[in-house]
């Protein structure tokens, strides 16, 4: 048995694969399959999350290649973005150089994982040959009125000195990148009109959730982000302190709670608030403080206005005037920028009311039961939680009392509508996509500003607008370096040829990643992003693999741009609903084993822990450390460097371990101690291969005859081995093709098959059966452990037939289903008559006898086998263990 040097095997096959021409699909007509892992940011080194994504996508790609598909499995680099620019500012390094270095390192690491990427299609979003087309897509949007400039209140990150998209601000109002508290300022910005596609983006989620093409939770997150609400616009009367009447409209999804309204609140930029601020310095002061309010702040400022519930105007006695507030919790760009406050039934309104009117009772308008046993009015302090779900209207609700929320919504809207006081409306949460960034390291926006002509698009033939190089003078600068590069900024207006200036904003990196996957279809095309022909051949992506952290933004933007390009007829979609990713595999995170001191809670360096004993102990104290699994991070000292792990265990063991350790969608707890199990498995495979090898070299096996011989010549071991191989291959095919989320079971199935074959013993098999089952095992292993499978394959498949294991079609089954049925029935169909004390008592199914050649060779074993089977039947138990004692039992059969 040769000793296995996994690193040497990896390197040998990596070189072989690189020098072999890619085999194109053997199927006719060719069937394509496009398998894509989310591309990486070139930070400089892979992390375990990358290892997990690329392993999953590589297994799928390799499996589909073996099935005869023309597989496209490309990758590239999401190469624009702040870290490169920050390196430049901190250390005076050109971001392009920094990025290229990192890409070179990471590409090497990716190859060392035994991956099978189409490197000839590789792209990098920061290369002019790529961003030329990002600019082209920008211009296509611009010419359709879908890219526009507008003054907008934007999130400004004072540390990175850039504008952030809403999505890049967390719920504490901090930048996702720098962690700085984000400020709100007004700036002229570029937007993409994604809202134009909101109906399509929402509707087609049905298609994605049908048949589980996308995980339900991702579909739900997208649906909530788009956020269509159906409700009503309702008009409240207003009277100011001088007695002048006017009105204000609010948007509500709960017209049924109208009897619970206690106040009206307006956004900080609502026209009525702006008007009032002109006359009230205190209000102005309040408005000026807005940037300092926390996002969930319930601050408020009461305006000198009374509001009147519209129900009072349709004859309801409930006419008490309601206070009106300016409040930061009311969003300026949602609905009407105004809300009706219902403390009893909305939790935000309840906290607002508790803060501003702690002693003013709230109105309970909705009851959880059809019978109204609610208190009617309650003091805010008595209401611990708002009752926010639908129910039945209480006796407070006059003519509507007793109606269900649903009935009441319809009736209240239609009653108010008669007086022009309400109308049913929809409201959408989705906002246009703010794409401009005041940074250097991004795709330049291809627009020129001319004082005579205004903004002028750069003519297509002048693309790309190339980023100027940065020199080391950038070190320590703040703001956008592009603003300071005069010779780049100053240019000629394409329209009037007068002096003009380039747009210095660059695009959000989400723009690059919104279309990169289309570029892989035709990544060398200089003239256009991709040809219609190549799009028709390769798009959409069949299987997209990536982290669930991209569930909202990246996927939404990519769906938008894809739908846009379908509308532009660059992509002819057939009937795939203009969806770019037909199947989405969202993989879970990788958590690292984390040690901390039980006394101080301090996270420990691995070097502070002694692993030599039976249980780990802290070197300094001798105590046992706390062990948890957490997101890998520097501060927790729990990160694992994939390169080190590959050096240590070989890529194939890592791949198998990653798949085996957890179902695809779940958190993977990275525990290197468990790789031993995988290594032992490889060792068993190695022994089996050696046995087969000996068989073949001693000529016991006629290599020209590796199909299954006639069934009646097979022995029980052959039948067992064949049936086990057959059931494994069924299960594996199912997993690889339909049930990718259970890839962990593929590894355990293969381990079981290996153990089964080892238990049976290769030498106990008819040589051709040994060959069939072992080669089937190798083929099934190949997508997961490609180099090790190739190495074993080379040892057992005779020279004449030697070709890469990946060029051998995946046949799946090792026998026909007729053969399988015959084998199975032969294995179990013997009926045995059981006599007890000379009387026939019952019959039982027992294993069929071994073939003639071996009959009589082991009759004791055969007898034991039959008795065991008989005792396992229900009759056997009753007749032989309950009604008769052991002595009799021995005599009877
Ligand atoms: C009264 C009410 C009573 C509400 C109740 C809810 C529950 P979704 O479902 O997300 O669309 N709202 C309306 N415009 C707002 C704005 N500009 N800023 C903040 N909140 C606003 O949310 C709709 C609900 O959010 C609306 O329904 C409104 O509060 C509030 F028991 O009206 B509701
Ligand atoms: Zn001009």
């Amino acid at each position: 048995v040769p000793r296995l040097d996994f690193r040497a095997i990896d390197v040998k096959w990596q070189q072989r694969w690189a020098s072999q021409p890619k085999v194109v699909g053997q199927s006719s007509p060719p069937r394509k399959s496009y398998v894509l892992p989310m591309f990486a940011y070139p930070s400089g080194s892979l992390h375990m999350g990358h290892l997990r994504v690329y392993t999953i996508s590589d297994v799928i790609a390799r499996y589909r290649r073996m099935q005869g598909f023309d597989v496209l499995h490309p990758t590239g680099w999401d190469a624009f973005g702040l870290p490169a620019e920050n390196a430049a500012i901190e250390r005076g390094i050109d971001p392009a150089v920094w990025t290229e270095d990192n890409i070179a390192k990471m590409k090497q690491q990716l190859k060392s994982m035994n991956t099978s990427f189409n490197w000839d299609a590789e792209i990098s979003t920061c290369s002019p040959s790529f961003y030329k087309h990002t600019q082209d897509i920008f211009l296509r949007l611009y010419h359709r009125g879908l890219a526009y400039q507008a003054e907008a209140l934007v999130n400004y990150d004072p540390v990175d000195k850039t504008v952030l998209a809403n999505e890049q601000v967390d719920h504490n109002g901090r930048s996702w990148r720098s962690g700085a508290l984000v400020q709100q300022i007004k700036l002229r910005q570029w937007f993409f009109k994604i809202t134009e596609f909101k109906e399509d983006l929402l509707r087609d989620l049905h298609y994605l959730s049908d048949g589980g093409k996308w995980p339900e939770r991702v579909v739900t997150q997208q649906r909530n982000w788009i956020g269509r609400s159906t409700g009503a616009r309702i008009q409240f009367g207003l009277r100011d302190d001088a007695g002048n009447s006017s009105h204000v409209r609010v948007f509500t999804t709960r017209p049924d709670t109208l009897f619970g309204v206690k106040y009206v609140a307006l956004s900080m930029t609502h026209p009525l608030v702006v008007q009032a601020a002109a006359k009230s310095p205190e209000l102005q002061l309040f408005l000026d403080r807005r940037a300092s309010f926390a996002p969930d702040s319930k601050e408020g400022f009461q305006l000198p206005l009374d509001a009147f519930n519209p129900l009072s105007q349709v004859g309801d006695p409930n006419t008490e005037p309601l206070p009106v507030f300016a409040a930061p919790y009311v969003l300026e760009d949602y609905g009407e920028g105004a809300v009706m406050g219902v403390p009893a039934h909305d939790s935000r309104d309840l906290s607002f009311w508790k803060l501003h009117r702690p002693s003013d009772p709230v109105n309970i308008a909705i009851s959880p039961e059809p019978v109204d046993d609610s208190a009617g009015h309650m003091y805010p302090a008595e209401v611990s939680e708002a009752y926010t779900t639908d129910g039945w209207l209480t006796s407070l609700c006059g003519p509507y009392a007793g109606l269900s929320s649903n009935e009441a919504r319809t009736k209240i809207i239609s009653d108010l509508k008669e007086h022009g006081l309400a109308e049913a409306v929809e409201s959408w949460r989705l906002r246009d996509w703010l794409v401009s960034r005041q940074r250097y390291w991004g795709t330049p926006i291809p627009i020129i500003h001319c004082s005579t002509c205004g903004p002028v698009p750069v003519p297509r033939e002048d693309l790309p607008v190339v980023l100027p190089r940065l020199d080391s003078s950038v070190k320590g600068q703040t703001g956008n370096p592009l603003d300071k590069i005069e010779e780049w900024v100053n240019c000629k207006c394409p329209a009037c040829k007068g002096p003009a200036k380039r747009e210095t904003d660059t695009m959000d990196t989400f723009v690059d990643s919104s279309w990169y996957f289309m570029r892989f279809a035709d990544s060398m095309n200089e003239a256009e992003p991709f040809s219609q022909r190549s799009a028709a051949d390769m798009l959409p992506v069949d299987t997209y693999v990536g982290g669930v952290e991209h569930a909202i933004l990246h996927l939404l933007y990519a769906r938008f741009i894809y739908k846009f390009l379908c509308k532009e007829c660059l992509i002819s979609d057939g009937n795939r609903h203009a969806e770019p990713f037909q199947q989405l595999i969202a993989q879970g995170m990788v958590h690292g084993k984390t040690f901390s001191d039980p006394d101080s809670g301090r996270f420990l360096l691995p070097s502070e822990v002694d692993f030599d004993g039976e249980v780990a102990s802290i070197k300094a104290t001798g105590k046992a450390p706390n062990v948890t699994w957490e997101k890998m991070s520097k501060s927790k000292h729990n990160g694992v460097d994939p390169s080190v792990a590959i050096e240590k265990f070989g890529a194939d063991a890592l791949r198998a371990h990653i798949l085996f350790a957890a179902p695809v969608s779940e958190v993977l707890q990275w525990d290197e101690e468990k790789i031993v199990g995988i290594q032992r498995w490889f060792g068993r495979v190695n022994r089996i291969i050696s046995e087969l090898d000996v068989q073949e070299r001693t000529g016991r096996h006629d290599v020209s005859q590796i199909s299954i011989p006639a069934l009646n010549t097979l022995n029980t071991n052959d039948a067992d081995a064949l049936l086990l191989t057959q059931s494994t291959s069924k299960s594996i095919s199912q997993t690889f093709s339909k049930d990718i989320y259970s890839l962990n079971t593929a590894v355990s199935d293969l381990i079981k098959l290996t153990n089964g074959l080892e238990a049976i013993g290769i030498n106990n098999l008819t040589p051709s059966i040994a060959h069939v089952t072992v080669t089937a095992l190798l083929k099934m292993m190949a997508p997961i452990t490609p180099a090790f499978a190739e190495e074993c394959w080379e040892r057992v498949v005779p020279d004449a037939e030697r070709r890469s294991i990946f060029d051998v079609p995946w046949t799946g089954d090792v026998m026909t289903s007729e053969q399988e049925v015959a084998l199975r029935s032969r294995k179990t169909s013997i009926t045995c008559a059981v006599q007890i004390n000379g009387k026939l008592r019952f019959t039982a199914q027992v294993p069929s006898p071994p073939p003639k050649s071996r009959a009589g060779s082991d009759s004791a074993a055969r007898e034991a086998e039959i008795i065991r089977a008989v005792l396992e039947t229900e009759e056997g138990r009753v007749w032989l263990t309950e009604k008769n004692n052991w002595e009799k039992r021995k005599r009877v059969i």
Side-chain angles (χ1 to χ4, degrees):
V1 180
R3 214 185 59 79
L4 295 172
D5 178 348
F6 287 107
R7 283 309 292 149
I9 294 173
D10 283 349
V11 170
K12 168 178 164 186
W13 289 99
Q14 282 159 20
Q15 282 167 355
R16 279 272 179 105
W17 293 325
S19 62
Q20 274 165 358
K22 274 257 145 39
V23 192
V24 273
Q26 300 104 336
S27 65
S28 59
R31 299 177 294 169
K32 74 95 182 175
S33 182
Y34 182 0
V35 181
L36 183 70
M38 288 182 183
F39 66 167
Y41 178 77
S43 60
S45 60
L46 292 186
H47 55 67
M48 291 311 287
H50 292 129
L51 210 59
R52 196 174 187 192
V53 190
Y54 297 130
T55 299
I56 295 164
S57 75
D58 197 56
V59 168
I60 302 168
R62 286 184 180 276
Y63 169 68
R64 292 199 188 150
R65 275 195 194 110
M66 290 174 86
Q67 280 193 309
F69 283 96
D70 270 327
V71 173
L72 178 63
H73 182 227
T75 196
W77 310 98
D78 191 8
F80 275 133
L82 273 174
E85 186 162 340
N86 289 341
I89 292 167
E90 282 157 28
R91 288 175 270 154
I93 310 167
D94 185 337
V97 173
W98 185 88
T99 307
E100 272 152 33
D101 273 4
N102 288 348
I103 288 177
K105 279 185 227 152
M106 290 173 75
K107 190 168 167 181
Q108 205 39 54
Q109 286 183 304
L110 273 189
K111 288 184 174 173
S112 76
M113 283 178 59
N114 292 344
T115 48
S116 62
F117 283 115
N118 298 90
W119 286 111
D120 45 355
E122 180 184 5
I123 54 163
S124 168
T125 58
C126 69
S127 123
S129 64
F130 179 87
Y131 68 66
K132 170 182 180 182
H133 307 290
T134 312
Q135 293 171 339
D136 177 272
I137 291 171
F138 180 99
L139 292 179
R140 287 172 197 264
L141 288 160
Y142 183 82
H143 292 305
R144 300 282 177 207
L146 296 172
Y148 66 95
Q149 248 186 320
E151 184 94 348
L153 199 60
V154 294
N155 305 301
Y156 187 74
D157 176 338
V159 169
D160 282 337
K161 300 205 167 44
T162 188
V163 169
L164 300 174
N166 282 339
E167 302 81 63
Q168 295 170 337
V169 180
D170 69 16
H171 49 267
N172 296 316
R174 293 183 177 275
S175 158
W176 72 328
R177 224 207 58 79
S178 72
L181 208 52
V182 169
Q183 300 168 353
Q184 302 266 309
I185 60 173
K186 279 234 158 158
L187 269 183
R188 213 164 157 71
Q189 296 289 319
W190 285 96
F191 290 89
F192 285 170
K193 213 177 215 168
I194 189 174
T195 52
E196 187 97 350
F197 286 73
K198 62 180 189 254
E199 314 262 0
D200 294 7
L201 288 167
L202 184 66
R203 186 197 53 232
D204 294 335
L205 288 174
H206 286 297
Y207 169 72
L208 295 176
S209 79
D210 273 356
K213 294 181 201 71
W214 280 32
E216 204 44 52
R217 99 192 128 121
V218 176
V219 170
T220 305
Q221 277 175 285
Q222 295 254 318
R223 186 174 291 127
N224 291 342
W225 192 264
I226 299 167
R228 183 182 64 189
S229 296
T230 49
R233 187 155 48 218
I234 296 185
Q235 183 170 314
F236 281 68
L238 292 176
R239 197 169 50 213
D240 67 14
D241 38 8
N244 302 315
S245 300
S246 58
H247 59 79
V248 63
R249 294 198 184 95
V250 304
F251 171 71
T252 177
T253 48
R254 297 292 306 274
D256 54 316
T257 65
L258 196 58
F259 287 86
V261 176
K262 293 294 293 182
Y263 67 96
V264 168
L266 310 176
S267 83
M268 306 280 273
T269 53
H270 194 280
L272 289 170
V273 174
V274 175
Q275 247 175 51
K279 289 187 226 148
S280 158
E282 295 98 315
L283 175 56
Q284 190 53 54
L285 224 59
F286 176 74
L287 298 182
D288 291 343
R289 279 173 49 213
R290 62 172 306 162
S292 69
F293 293 139
D296 61 345
S297 157
K298 292 292 157 353
E299 297 280 347
F301 189 98
Q302 191 176 351
L303 304 179
L305 288 171
D306 284 334
F308 297 92
N309 194 320
L311 284 173
S312 64
Q313 293 168 47
V314 293
D316 189 81
N318 176 10
T319 49
E320 67 175 304
L322 307 168
V324 179
F325 296 88
Y329 86 93
V330 182
L331 308 172
E332 66 174 13
D333 57 355
Y334 189 65
E336 301 291 314
V339 305
M340 59 185 219
V342 186
H345 301 298
D346 181 291
S347 13
R348 292 164 303 178
D349 297 351
L350 181 63
S351 5
F352 186 86
W353 197 246
K354 283 185 170 178
L355 186 65
H356 296 277
R357 291 290 189 281
S359 52
D360 191 341
V362 306
N363 300 345
I364 313 289
I366 306 291
S367 140
E369 307 292 335
V371 189
D372 172 22
D373 53 1
S374 61
H377 301 277
M378 279 168 82
Y379 283 102
E382 299 170 335
V383 187
S384 57
E385 228 175 279
Y387 178 70
T388 57
T389 36
D390 280 5
W392 283 265
L393 273 69
T394 64
S395 55
L396 278 190
C397 303
Y400 305 95
L403 294 185
S404 71
S405 284
N406 253 333
E407 296 164 329
R409 273 194 281 270
T410 318
K411 193 153 179 4
I412 289 177
I413 295 176
S414 79
D415 289 354
L416 289 177
K417 197 172 174 187
E418 280 178 23
H419 298 79
L421 295 172
E423 93 195 272
V425 288
E426 264 177 7
S427 193
W428 296 72
R429 194 158 291 280
L430 186 67
R431 293 285 158 267
D432 279 343
W433 174 13
L434 198 168
V435 296
S436 45
R437 297 289 179 274
Q438 289 67 54
R439 305 303 318 183
Y440 163 78
W441 194 233
T443 302
I445 291 178
I447 294 286
I448 287 167
H449 296 280
C450 168
S451 50
T452 358
C453 314
V456 182
V458 173
R460 270 194 87 199
E461 58 274 19
D462 292 351
L463 297 184
V465 177
V466 180
L467 275 178
R469 284 249 157 180
L470 274 196
D471 59 34
S472 54
S473 69
V474 67
K475 196 170 167 180
Q477 281 185 11
T478 60
N480 182 356
L482 279 181
D483 290 334
K484 292 157 201 134
I485 307 177
E486 296 277 321
E487 60 283 15
W488 184 81
V489 172
N490 294 320
C491 62
K492 244 199 246 157
C493 167
C496 71
K497 312 294 175 210
K501 284 186 188 302
R502 286 191 190 284
E503 172 65 66
T504 58
D505 283 0
T506 56
M507 290 182 230
D508 179 7
T509 57
F510 276 114
V511 179
D512 309 323
S513 57
S514 70
W515 81 280
Y516 81 104
F517 56 95
M518 307 179 216
R519 179 71 178 167
F520 286 126
D522 197 9
S523 59
M524 298 301 156
N525 194 331
E526 287 179 24
E528 37 184 5
F530 47 86
S531 67
Q532 274 166 297
R533 186 61 236 259
S534 62
D537 285 348
M538 291 321 292
L539 298 178
V541 175
D542 294 286
T543 301
Y544 198 28
V545 187
V548 78
E549 65 275 18
H550 296 294
I552 301 178
L553 293 181
H554 162 55
L555 293 175
L556 192 65
Y557 295 150
R559 294 178 63 219
F560 158 49
I561 296 296
Y562 193 80
K563 285 179 189 299
F564 167 67
L565 294 177
C566 285
K567 285 229 162 92
E568 291 289 290
C569 298
L570 240 70
I571 304 165
S572 57
D573 183 61
N575 53 359
R576 263 87 142 252
H577 294 250
E579 282 296 332
F581 311 118
Q582 295 286 308
Q583 181 187 27
L584 176 71
I585 303 291
Q587 111 271 4
M589 301 226 297
V590 181
H591 284 184
K593 200 171 191 176
T594 314
F595 297 96
S596 57
D597 188 316
D599 300 327
S600 64
R602 189 175 69 85
F603 291 110
L604 301 166
L605 290 160
S607 60
E608 293 177 281
V609 183
D610 184 353
F611 296 100
D612 290 341
E614 199 120 296
V615 286
S617 62
I618 303 174
K619 284 178 185 164
T621 61
K623 283 192 185 173
N626 282 346
V627 181
T628 51
W629 262 271
E630 313 205 20
K631 196 178 162 174
M632 291 187 182
S633 74
K634 288 210 176 72
S635 64
K636 294 187 175 143
H637 313 303
N638 62 352
V640 175
D641 181 345
S643 301
V644 174
I646 289 175
E647 270 312 312
K648 218 151 87 189
F649 305 104
D652 286 346
L654 277 199
R655 291 165 61 111
H657 176 63
I658 279 188
L659 296 179
F660 183 51
V664 165
S665 63
E666 283 170 26
V667 167
L668 190 161
Q669 302 186 333
W670 184 254
D671 191 351
E672 272 179 16
E673 288 168 35
K674 302 221 168 108
I675 298 187
V676 181
I678 298 291
Q679 290 177 316
R680 287 201 198 108
W681 170 40
F682 287 4
R684 288 195 293 276
V685 174
N686 188 32
R687 278 198 297 278
I688 288 177
I689 298 298
S690 298
E691 281 172 36
L692 191 65
D693 205 14
V694 169
Q695 260 193 13
E696 298 192 346
R697 270 188 284 113
T698 53
R700 282 182 53 208
H701 170 40
D702 175 7
V703 295
S704 66
Q705 226 264 289
I706 52 167
S707 58
I708 301 177
L711 293 186
N712 56 12
T713 67
L714 300 184
N715 63 41
T716 326
N717 292 323
D718 291 336
D720 286 347
L722 277 176
L723 286 173
L724 180 59
T725 309
Q726 178 84 342
S727 64
T728 308
S729 101
K730 286 217 156 85
S731 163
I732 295 264
S733 302
Q734 163 80 19
T735 306
F736 282 170
S737 52
K738 303 213 175 66
D739 204 7
I740 294 165
Y741 281 102
S742 315
L743 274 177
N744 55 320
T745 65
V747 179
S748 55
D749 283 345
L750 290 169
I751 294 177
K752 270 186 223 147
L753 174 58
T754 308
N755 295 351
L757 293 179
E758 195 179 40
I760 292 165
I762 294 302
N763 288 323
N764 296 328
L765 294 174
T766 303
S768 57
I769 300 299
H771 189 93
V772 166
T773 53
V774 172
T775 51
L777 168 67
L778 292 180
K779 275 197 259 173
M780 291 188 264
M781 288 176 68
I784 298 174
T785 61
F788 181 49
E790 288 266 37
E791 183 71 16
C792 295
W793 186 256
E794 195 179 52
R795 278 161 61 194
V796 297
V797 173
D799 275 351
E801 294 170 55
R802 188 181 300 161
R803 43 185 176 153
S804 163
I805 193 169
F806 295 102
D807 299 346
V808 181
W810 178 281
T811 41
D813 297 356
V814 289
M815 55 186 155
T816 64
S817 50
E818 293 84 59
Q819 284 176 313
E820 185 183 349
V821 169
L823 260 195
R824 260 187 219 294
S825 63
R826 201 191 74 177
K827 202 171 131 61
T828 57
S829 71
I830 298 296
T831 305
C832 176
V834 181
Q835 289 185 2
I836 297 176
N837 294 338
K839 284 193 188 112
L840 177 68
R841 289 300 182 186
F842 61 96
T843 61
Q845 298 295 318
V846 301
S848 51
K852 297 217 164 48
S853 59
R854 284 182 27 166
S857 64
D858 197 0
S859 61
R862 174 68 185 152
E863 188 181 316
E865 182 180 47
I866 293 174
I867 292 179
R868 206 180 331 115
V870 170
L871 287 175
E872 275 168 9
T873 63
E874 179 58 17
E875 286 100 334
R877 197 180 58 75
V878 172
W879 281 104
L880 298 172
T881 58
E882 289 175 7
K883 297 197 177 171
N884 296 281
N885 65 30
W886 177 235
E887 268 315 297
K888 280 183 193 157
R889 213 187 326 155
K890 265 173 111 182
R891 272 188 285 120
V892 290
I893 303 180

